[in-house]
Amino acid sequence: MPSLDPLLDENQFGCRPGRSTTHTLIAVLHKWMEILDKRGSVCAVFIDYRKAFDIVNHNTLLGKLKKYNIPLCLLKWFGSYLSHCCQHVKVGQLFSSWKTLCGGMPQGSRLGLLSFIVLIDDLRAACELHKFVDDATCTV
């Protein structure tokens, strides 16, 4: 994270030091108030990526990480982390059977969150875009 953080979009919040939900809300509200102070009107679009972590393409993600000059040994380690992942679900004292994941990101891990924000880091729009992990707010 220390090598990635300075390279990420400044409007990407969540899963980063000093960029919590509160910081996101302050940034969005500040933008809206700035527009309203100039007698403008605010139009906002709220985006929630459906099944965001389930549709991550591993090759695309590894390619983007490579562009950030992540050392090859870390890329190989991360690639092995993503391949042949298995998971199961626990409800109370009961466990489901193990299933091998064909794609996507293991959820509940810090690496899953970081991976997703790297994946969407280059998402740009013709509006002010504030991103919070797998949600985005576009202000026009």
Side-chain angles (χ1 to χ4, degrees), residues 4 8 12 52-72 74-83 85 103-107 109-122:
L4 275 178
L8 295 173
Q12 173 64 60
F53 295 94
D54 296 338
I55 59 171
V56 172
N57 180 298
H58 297 168
N59 292 327
T60 302
L61 175 60
L62 291 170
K64 288 187 176 195
L65 284 169
K66 189 175 182 179
K67 288 180 184 177
Y68 285 108
N69 294 319
I70 302 297
L72 185 59
L74 285 178
L75 287 174
K76 286 182 177 182
W77 172 81
F78 192 60
S80 71
Y81 167 75
L82 293 174
S83 63
C85 285
M105 293 300 302
Q107 294 182 33
S109 71
R110 182 135 166 96
L111 286 175
L113 294 170
L114 287 173
S115 299
F116 191 77
I117 66 173
V118 165
L119 190 66
I120 66 164
D121 184 60
D122 56 359

Side-chain angles (χ1 to χ4, degrees), residues 5 14-15 19 21 26 28 36 40-41 48 54 67-68 70 83 87 91 109 112 119-121 123-124 133:
D5 197 55
C15 192
R19 294 178 174 273
T21 308
I26 290 170
V28 170
L36 293 173
S41 59
D48 178 39
D54 296 338
K67 288 180 184 177
Y68 285 108
I70 302 297
S83 63
Q87 70 180 21
V91 178
S109 71
L119 190 66
I120 66 164
D121 184 60
L123 173 66
R124 300 292 185 261
V133 189

Side-chain angles (χ1 to χ4, degrees), residues 11-28 131-133:
N11 284 332
Q12 173 64 60
F13 296 86
C15 192
R16 297 176 67 190
R19 294 178 174 273
S20 67
T21 308
T22 303
H23 293 101
T24 311
L25 291 171
I26 290 170
V28 170
K131 300 177 270 186
F132 187 86
V133 189

